[in-house]
Amino acid sequence: MTTQFKLAAALILSGLIVAGCQKPAEKAQAPAAPAVQPTASVDVYPFTIGALQAVALKDGDLVLDNAKGQSPWADNAGVAEVLRPTGDTKIHLSIQPLLIRGDDKVVLIDTGAGGGMGTQGKLSASLAAAGVQPGQVTDILISHGHGDHVGGLVKNDALVFPNATIRMSAAEWTALQADAEQAALIPIITPRVETFEPGAQVTPSITAVSLQGHTPGHTGYEIVSGQDRLLYFGDALHSSVISVERPDFVNAWDFNSEAAVATRLALLGRGATQTLRVYGVHFPFPGLGTFRRQADGFVWVPESAPAQP
Ligand SMILES: [Zn+2]
């Protein structure tokens, strides 16, 4: 794919760009949990977590060419070395928020870039293809306040998900309110925001997990139903190649690099030891898989073949 993107600077700054047509406000609707899952496509990937219905929803792609200095990792030569076996100098990052239905709730974890940062802004179409109207979403769980996660909350100065409570950690909300780049978002979402402390149970099946380092209140979400479990790890790892094979690499996108490295190593260790099913919002679509120990490090084992763009 030869899609051009606004480059690393725009990405690092996480600028929020919203555009498009205004839709009429929707009336509150009872959350629907359809009996049938949507059909899988390149943008929609349904799966289950115990009794819960989950759907990976494609929002867009970010591509950074390490050979052009677009990588956020400080060690450019080191990244080139890791990428060499792939025959590609580019780092491919997908964006796929996660939908969870069950417990009489329709939960969306992160909201994509809203078409900002040079991305495609597919979330609304992916959600519609999954059979869900924006007004049916009851809860939005935010991992952190960067533009590729909160960019889909607002469009044309209005809430995209008018009936949803927007939940994030108290530390992340404090940081987001102080972020000048997201200033336009704040007054619109404030009436809907509810904060929590690390470790809080945010729905009957979902627990907030503090994954420190990327942003001041960066949060993962652990979803449990019956014997099944899935950890949404947010931006604790960005690339299924670089972040997994060299978790020690310093990444300019991380607010606290030392803490971010420690979080990555702990997550990879736990993941491999427990064969924990995990979800990478920026890993190749649909972002589902496990980590496995290999030699003295780790590799990503996707649960299904990534879709071709
Ligand atoms: Zn991100």
Side-chain angles (χ1 to χ4, degrees):
M1 197 167 84
T2 58
T3 310
Q4 75 285 6
F5 292 101
K6 311 282 193 266
L7 299 179
L11 188 56
I12 293 165
L13 292 172
S14 298
L16 172 65
I17 302 166
V18 289
C21 306
Q22 181 103 41
K23 287 174 64 176
E26 294 175 60
K27 297 281 184 214
Q29 302 166 43
V36 294
Q37 283 276 60
T39 305
S41 71
V42 292
D43 294 331
V44 174
Y45 185 85
F47 60 101
T48 56
I49 308 164
L52 303 172
Q53 295 180 342
V55 190
L57 299 170
K58 183 82 176 189
D59 181 54
D61 296 285
L62 296 163
V63 182
L64 307 167
D65 193 341
N66 187 60
K68 295 180 179 173
Q70 296 166 356
S71 160
W73 286 275
D75 186 349
N76 187 274
V79 169
E81 188 65 33
V82 176
L83 290 177
R84 187 160 294 128
T86 70
D88 191 356
T89 62
K90 297 187 183 70
I91 298 151
H92 297 263
L93 303 182
S94 180
I95 304 174
Q96 57 251 347
L98 175 62
L99 186 78
I100 306 284
R101 289 181 286 194
D103 306 325
D104 288 328
K105 289 179 177 294
V106 179
V107 178
L108 183 62
I109 307 183
D110 286 331
T111 65
M117 301 159 68
T119 63
Q120 299 95 319
K122 289 179 169 187
L123 178 63
S124 294
S126 298
L127 191 69
V132 176
Q133 301 302 314
Q136 292 177 304
V137 176
T138 60
D139 299 78
I140 295 172
L141 308 182
I142 296 296
S143 65
H144 65 292
H146 286 169
D148 54 324
H149 299 262
V150 298
L153 284 171
V154 167
K155 188 172 186 178
N156 291 347
D157 297 328
L159 291 166
V160 172
F161 307 97
N163 303 314
T165 301
I166 302 167
R167 304 182 190 278
M168 69 185 84
S169 73
E172 194 64 19
W173 179 228
T174 299
L176 181 57
Q177 289 174 288
D179 184 350
E181 292 172 36
Q182 305 295 348
L185 186 74
I186 302 304
I188 301 168
I189 68 171
T190 293
R192 307 306 306 225
V193 170
E194 291 188 13
T195 62
F196 55 75
E197 296 302 322
Q201 187 155 7
V202 289
T203 79
S205 303
I206 304 178
T207 303
V209 179
S210 177
L211 296 174
Q212 296 187 9
H214 183 56
T215 57
H218 183 260
T219 300
Y221 294 99
E222 193 148 343
I223 305 142
V224 180
S225 177
Q227 299 300 308
D228 287 1
R229 178 180 299 269
L230 177 77
L231 177 64
Y232 181 106
F233 57 74
D235 282 16
L237 299 96
H238 289 91
S239 160
S240 64
V241 181
I242 310 297
S243 307
V244 176
E245 296 180 24
R246 293 306 303 263
D248 56 317
F249 275 6
V250 170
N251 185 320
W253 292 342
D254 291 332
F255 158 79
N256 178 334
S257 187
E258 195 176 335
V261 169
T263 291
R264 274 194 286 281
L265 288 167
L267 187 55
L268 289 163
R270 179 194 170 198
T273 299
Q274 299 180 357
T275 321
L276 180 67
R277 194 185 195 195
V278 296
Y279 188 93
V281 60
H282 293 311
F283 279 25
F285 188 82
L288 271 177
T290 54
F291 302 121
R292 188 171 64 204
R293 282 196 169 80
Q294 180 171 289
D296 57 352
F298 299 91
V299 291
W300 171 244
V301 183
E303 190 173 301
S304 59
Q308 297 302 310

